[in-house]
Amino acid sequence: RMAGRLLALGLFGALFAGFSEVFSGGHIAETGFFLTYLMAFALLAAVFRESAEAAARILDSQIQFMKVLLPSYFTAVVWSGAGLSSAAWYEAALFLIAGVQKLYAGLLLSLVRIYFLSVMAGSMVKEDMLSRMLDLLKSAVQWGSRSLIGLVLGFQLVQGMVLPYADSVKNAGMQRLLQAIPGIGSGAGAVTKLMLGSGVLIKNAMGAAAVLLLFLFSIVPLARLFVLYLIYRGVAAVLQPVADKRLVVCLSGAAQAQKMLLTVTASCFLLFAVTIALICQGTNAAYLAS
């Protein structure tokens, strides 16, 4: 419905502008363009508001899911014999949640909204007045999302190089101590190995289930944002030969804002999913090396 309305507005504006230029001159054509543009602006603003609210709900759902997951998941990590790694990873995960809440849900979504309003305002006039600011806002959103991903994943990779092997030394020492007990040493060592292996299996199963749940409740809203992005691009492509170039620029800018919403929400999902995967992989070393 949105695509049909936008196409109808664009074609009507182009038809009205063509007739008014033939019979009356450019002033009526300019007035007709502004009327068409204001109707398109109202439609685009309503749809983008829904998209921004949907993106905020996606981020909030992902953050709340991670807050609920962490206590039980890191209990399983401790059971797998990675006590030191569990404490360090837990602090890193809390920092990640706070960073996503402040940077993604707080700052970046606000910058995307400002970008959209700037596109709407800048496309009304023929002069190029806001392109530099739009480039700055676009770069800020891209670098903001990438910087948090690089910072968190780099820190987690460094932790994964050290802490799991400290846990493996601790586990190996405990097993050697139990095996030194006369009479029950071999049995105690086997039971300890079995318990640690069970903990690793439960931990990895919980991690895989957590990533799957994140994907399931994120995929439908993300797909909706992606479909709206394709609709904006398609309508802009169809209207480019006939409509006023300012309306086409407006639609292209709205498509870019929609893409930025999709990038922010997808980056948050990717960040949480990769974090869980790194925790699973990194804490496995505590068991395998022992």
Side-chain angles (χ1 to χ4, degrees):
R1 290 197 299 269
M2 182 196 69
R5 291 170 184 172
L6 289 174
L7 286 171
L9 285 173
L11 294 175
F12 175 77
L15 184 64
F16 182 82
F19 276 106
S20 61
E21 286 179 356
V22 171
F23 295 105
S24 302
H27 296 292
I28 297 179
E30 194 69 13
T31 303
F33 163 76
F34 279 113
L35 291 175
T36 304
Y37 188 87
L38 288 176
M39 289 187 287
F41 175 81
L43 179 59
L44 290 172
V47 175
F48 184 80
R49 179 173 176 270
E50 294 180 1
S51 298
E53 291 177 352
R57 287 194 299 269
I58 296 172
L59 293 177
D60 184 66
S61 299
Q62 293 171 346
I63 291 170
Q64 295 302 323
F65 177 79
M66 291 297 292
K67 288 181 178 179
V68 173
L69 172 70
L70 290 183
S72 58
Y73 182 66
F74 281 100
T75 301
V77 174
V78 173
W79 187 12
S80 66
L84 296 175
S85 299
S86 176
W89 285 101
Y90 188 75
E91 294 178 359
L94 291 177
F95 169 77
L96 171 61
I97 291 174
V100 167
Q101 194 166 11
K102 298 296 183 182
L103 182 61
Y104 282 23
L107 179 61
L108 296 186
L109 284 185
S110 299
L111 291 179
V112 175
R113 292 187 178 98
I114 295 173
Y115 179 90
F116 175 79
L117 293 176
S118 300
V119 167
M120 296 295 106
S123 301
M124 293 183 66
V125 295
K126 295 181 178 180
E127 294 79 10
D128 187 8
M129 300 175 60
L130 298 175
S131 61
R132 299 302 179 210
M133 189 177 74
L134 293 176
D135 291 339
L136 179 62
L137 290 172
K138 181 180 176 182
S139 299
V141 172
Q142 292 177 346
W143 282 99
S145 59
R146 293 172 183 174
S147 62
L148 184 60
I149 291 176
L151 178 63
V152 171
L153 296 186
F155 181 70
Q156 290 172 352
L157 287 174
V158 172
Q159 283 191 146
M161 295 177 184
V162 179
L163 292 175
Y165 298 98
D167 283 317
S168 69
V169 172
K170 178 195 65 177
N171 295 338
M174 180 182 65
Q175 291 180 25
R176 299 296 184 272
L177 183 63
L178 290 174
Q179 290 173 358
I181 300 175
I184 63 170
S186 58
V191 170
T192 302
K193 192 75 172 179
L194 179 62
M195 290 180 61
L196 293 177
S198 301
V200 171
L201 179 62
I202 293 173
K203 168 182 67 68
N204 290 345
M206 287 183 64
V211 174
L212 180 61
L213 287 175
L214 269 175
F215 176 78
L216 289 178
F217 69 70
S218 299
I219 185 61
V220 174
L222 289 175
R224 183 177 183 274
L225 294 178
F226 180 69
V227 169
L228 287 173
Y229 166 70
L230 293 180
I231 288 175
Y232 287 135
R233 293 291 301 271
V235 173
V238 172
L239 291 179
Q240 186 177 13
V242 294
D244 192 290
K245 67 177 183 179
R246 288 172 288 179
L247 183 59
V248 176
V249 170
C250 173
L251 291 172
S252 299
Q256 184 62 44
Q258 193 76 22
K259 181 181 178 181
M260 291 162 68
L261 286 178
L262 180 63
T263 300
V264 171
T265 51
S267 297
C268 183
F269 164 74
L270 179 64
L271 192 55
F272 285 146
V274 173
T275 296
I276 296 173
L278 286 176
I279 293 173
C280 288
Q281 183 63 33
T283 53
N284 285 343
Y287 173 77
L288 297 175
S290 61

